[in-house]
Amino acid sequence: MPTVNVDKEELYSALGRDYTFDEFMDLCFNFGIELEEDTSAKEMAIREVGAHKVDESVSDRPILKIDIPANRYDLLCHEGISRSLLVFQGKNKPPVFKTVQPPNGQALQKMIVKPETAQIRPYVVCAILRNVKFTELNYKNFIDLQDKLHMNICRKRTLVAIGTHDLDTIKGPFTYEALTPKDIQFAPLNQEKSMNAEELMTFYESDKHLAKFLPIIRDSPVYPIIYDSNRQVLSLPPIINSNHSKITLDTKNVFIECTATDLTKGKIVLNTMVAMFSEYCAEPFTIEPVEIIYEDNRIPTGVTPDLASRTTTAKVDYINSCTGLKLNPDEICDLLNKMSLEAKPNKEDKNEIVVQVPVTRSDVLHQCDIMEDVAIAYGFNNLPHTAPSVSTIGKPYPLNKLADIARLELALAGWSEVSPLTLCSHDENFAFLRQKDPGNIAVRLAHPKTVEYQVVRTSLLPGVLKTLKENKKHSLPIKVFEVGDTAIKDDSMERRSRNIRKVCATYSNKTSGLEQIHGLLDRTLEMLHSQAVDKNGTASGYWIQDSDNPTYFPSRSADIYLRQKGETKVIGSFGILHPEVLEKYGINFPTSAMEFDLEPFL
């Protein structure tokens, strides 16, 4: 959960009264947020680095630290918190946001998007706030909200980057382009020296605030750049703005641009910024839109932001069944109004309410979100305590119970259980095991953070072998096992994939110990009530048969066959691991392994 530091005096002034710590903590709890601490910047600095290192210039003005739900982007600043709490207490009504035309009959400002931006950050949305009155406190809130959004919904600027500019220092129409680093030249924020983009990257390598954002575009052949009509640089997203257009306390007209790789999130970020700070405009809650023109027509020409509320519905019986209440539609609507959601009963359906979701509530996606707001407004502590209407006796999930039985038998046989991660690299899952990827089995991650987490494992063996590698210092023999889930693609399933519970064990010593693994396999299958049978017979049971599995040493491996109710299938394999497999995993002693599916024994 994000933590927001709010100026105590400013917040209490906006709420119209002072609170004791306990009173405000109760108010926050009732609203669904949490007051963490009443402190100050100076007190926090003393705790972090010690009193002897804290400069006298550090403010001792009281600060309230408030924990906010991660999806409530409208509560990431003082403006959003105070506004929502006033509505919650019935002291104010939610603001109505509206777009207005430029003054003096001027045409809308334009942002022209060049085709080459599609290869780096393809989208941009913009807005203008006119006649804004900044103070030291709301200016700080303005900057802090950008930082909070960057770290939250913007995913550290990888999805969205916000740029704010003094409109009076620049001139439209603006262009959003993508140029080679050497062709970009400007003086970055708070710097007097002009530099090209390559020099800028080197300059900020040691900057503790900006260095972490450089890799987002550094290896790209082109960098995104925004110019005004005089070819004056506004920003190099997602890194830094130009010093020429920087915002100050004297700024009156603010131009906001958000470049994005995700258009939906870009719109949410822009809407949040203008909704929070349009209250400081001479005409509160008015925003001037900007026309966005894509030269390649990848998106039709339009204006941003779109401040229209969206309509959704929720069922009355659903809300009552989830909360245990017996509210009528009018009562539900009154509670939702406290949560800044305008709601009315549906005249055509008595079991339905119609809800107008404002642009500030991007977290409302489903009727369950509406139900949650009803519960918050009613009061979690006021919800009735009821016993279940049915009497049931709990019992283990059959597959989990079977897995526990297998774990117990393997442990009693002298093997130690390990629990590796379920994600691994593509090579570890296939190439390191000398297997080919058929292309339709492994579940891949769309945007893996590192090469170590590219796919969901289809075999337990990679994780067990990685564990062996990290524990080579232990005395031989090393006997380890895992009982866990793998995943494969399956288009017949709702989520187009399914889990498979498997058993894997390895034996490592100065000799291969294939007989140890073979004995463990026989013992485990015996305890699972499966007997060794003749493959040419008809009796239910298992048998082993030579295989050419490339993971194992030639002529030292076998497949495990299981026959049940007349049906025969391969459930696994065992053998001496191939030297190339051991080399890939950095294991320098002979190792035998077995792996089989557990689910057929249910």
Side-chain angles (χ1 to χ4, degrees), residues 370-423:
I370 297 172
M371 175 274 296
E372 180 186 17
D373 273 8
V374 171
I376 292 172
Y378 188 85
F380 285 135
N381 288 338
N382 300 325
L383 295 176
H385 295 254
T386 57
S389 58
V390 294
S391 179
T392 60
I393 298 174
K395 65 177 182 179
Y397 185 60
L399 182 58
N400 290 341
K401 183 176 181 180
L402 181 63
D404 287 341
I405 293 171
R407 289 188 181 98
L408 179 62
E409 292 303 326
L410 290 163
L412 290 175
W415 264 251
S416 299
E417 185 174 12
V418 298
S419 185
L421 299 175
T422 57
L423 299 178

Side-chain angles (χ1 to χ4, degrees), residues 338-357:
K338 292 176 62 177
M339 302 302 292
S340 301
L341 297 175
E342 183 183 344
K344 294 180 180 179
N346 189 338
K347 296 180 180 179
E348 299 177 357
D349 185 351
K350 294 181 179 180
N351 189 41
E352 188 175 72
I353 58 170
V354 180
V355 182
Q356 299 297 324
V357 182

Side-chain angles (χ1 to χ4, degrees), residues 554-572:
S555 303
R556 293 295 185 271
S557 66
D559 288 334
I560 306 166
Y561 288 79
L562 181 68
R563 182 163 53 222
Q564 291 177 323
K565 299 179 181 179
E567 294 185 4
T568 300
K569 59 181 176 181
V570 178
I571 62 169

Side-chain angles (χ1 to χ4, degrees), residues 548-601:
D548 296 323
N549 192 323
T551 299
Y552 302 104
F553 198 83
S555 303
R556 293 295 185 271
S557 66
D559 288 334
I560 306 166
Y561 288 79
L562 181 68
R563 182 163 53 222
Q564 291 177 323
K565 299 179 181 179
E567 294 185 4
T568 300
K569 59 181 176 181
V570 178
I571 62 169
S573 61
F574 76 100
I576 302 172
L577 291 176
H578 197 285
E580 290 182 7
V581 174
L582 298 176
E583 181 183 1
K584 291 290 187 182
Y585 285 96
I587 300 171
N588 53 11
F589 35 71
T591 299
S592 295
M594 73 169 186
E595 183 172 11
F596 64 87
D597 296 352
L598 188 61
E599 296 182 17
F601 298 96

Side-chain angles (χ1 to χ4, degrees), residues 148-166:
K148 291 293 184 185
L149 290 170
H150 276 150
M151 298 306 293
N152 195 306
I153 184 176
C154 300
R155 296 294 186 270
K156 299 180 180 179
R157 305 191 189 182
T158 56
L159 299 182
V160 186
I162 309 166
T164 55
H165 312 276
D166 188 335

Side-chain angles (χ1 to χ4, degrees), residues 455-511:
V455 298
V456 183
R457 63 185 181 179
T458 61
S459 167
L460 300 181
L461 194 54
V464 174
L465 293 180
K466 287 166 72 176
T467 304
L468 275 178
K469 174 188 175 182
E470 300 301 326
N471 291 274
K472 292 186 294 184
K473 63 179 182 296
H474 288 281
S475 59
L476 297 176
I478 300 175
K479 302 187 290 184
V480 295
F481 77 90
E482 182 188 6
V483 179
D485 283 332
T486 62
I488 64 170
K489 291 181 180 179
D490 187 344
D491 289 337
S492 66
M493 307 295 289
E494 179 185 3
R495 298 188 181 276
R496 301 179 63 189
S497 64
R498 61 184 172 90
N499 289 356
I500 301 176
R501 190 70 54 89
K502 290 188 176 184
V503 176
C504 179
T506 63
Y507 178 90
S508 303
N509 204 345
K510 293 180 180 179
T511 58

Side-chain angles (χ1 to χ4, degrees), residues 226-482:
I226 297 177
Y227 289 102
D228 74 354
S229 60
N230 296 323
R231 299 303 288 175
Q232 176 65 52
V233 172
L234 275 65
S235 67
L236 175 71
I239 309 302
I240 196 166
N241 293 341
S242 165
N243 191 56
H244 176 83
S245 60
K246 70 178 180 181
I247 301 281
T248 68
L249 288 175
D250 297 325
T251 296
K252 297 299 180 185
N253 301 309
V254 180
F255 179 73
I256 304 173
E257 43 86 3
C258 299
T259 58
T261 57
D262 185 318
L263 182 58
T264 299
K265 286 183 169 56
K267 290 179 178 179
I268 292 173
V269 170
L270 180 67
N271 289 344
T272 302
M273 286 293 300
V274 299
M276 294 302 104
F277 287 93
S278 58
E279 72 173 75
Y280 299 116
C281 294
E283 185 181 352
F285 308 117
T286 58
I287 298 96
E288 181 181 318
V290 175
E291 186 176 5
I292 312 296
I293 303 170
Y294 289 84
E295 288 191 343
D296 57 0
N297 294 318
R298 78 182 84 131
I299 293 179
T301 296
V303 296
T304 61
D306 180 5
L307 300 177
S309 59
R310 52 191 170 88
T311 303
T312 187
T313 60
K315 297 295 183 181
V316 173
D317 57 359
Y318 170 80
I319 293 173
N320 284 328
S321 66
C322 290
T323 58
L325 300 173
K326 296 180 179 179
L327 301 173
N328 61 47
D330 290 321
E331 291 172 325
I332 291 176
C333 292
D334 289 340
L335 292 174
L336 288 174
N337 290 336
K338 292 176 62 177
M339 302 302 292
S340 301
L341 297 175
E342 183 183 344
K344 294 180 180 179
N346 189 338
K347 296 180 180 179
E348 299 177 357
D349 185 351
K350 294 181 179 180
N351 189 41
E352 188 175 72
I353 58 170
V354 180
V355 182
Q356 299 297 324
V357 182
V359 293
T360 53
R361 294 300 307 274
S362 60
D363 60 296
V364 178
L365 303 175
H366 186 271
Q367 68 173 345
C368 66
D369 300 307
I370 297 172
M371 175 274 296
E372 180 186 17
D373 273 8
V374 171
I376 292 172
Y378 188 85
F380 285 135
N381 288 338
N382 300 325
L383 295 176
H385 295 254
T386 57
S389 58
V390 294
S391 179
T392 60
I393 298 174
K395 65 177 182 179
Y397 185 60
L399 182 58
N400 290 341
K401 183 176 181 180
L402 181 63
D404 287 341
I405 293 171
R407 289 188 181 98
L408 179 62
E409 292 303 326
L410 290 163
L412 290 175
W415 264 251
S416 299
E417 185 174 12
V418 298
S419 185
L421 299 175
T422 57
L423 299 178
C424 62
S425 74
H426 182 273
D427 284 347
E428 288 169 347
N429 198 72
F430 293 105
F432 284 14
L433 297 179
R434 304 181 75 237
Q435 300 285 345
K436 293 183 179 179
D437 180 7
N440 60 349
I441 294 180
V443 178
R444 294 173 177 263
L445 274 66
H447 302 289
K449 282 287 185 181
T450 69
V451 293
E452 291 182 309
Y453 308 123
Q454 293 176 318
V455 298
V456 183
R457 63 185 181 179
T458 61
S459 167
L460 300 181
L461 194 54
V464 174
L465 293 180
K466 287 166 72 176
T467 304
L468 275 178
K469 174 188 175 182
E470 300 301 326
N471 291 274
K472 292 186 294 184
K473 63 179 182 296
H474 288 281
S475 59
L476 297 176
I478 300 175
K479 302 187 290 184
V480 295
F481 77 90
E482 182 188 6

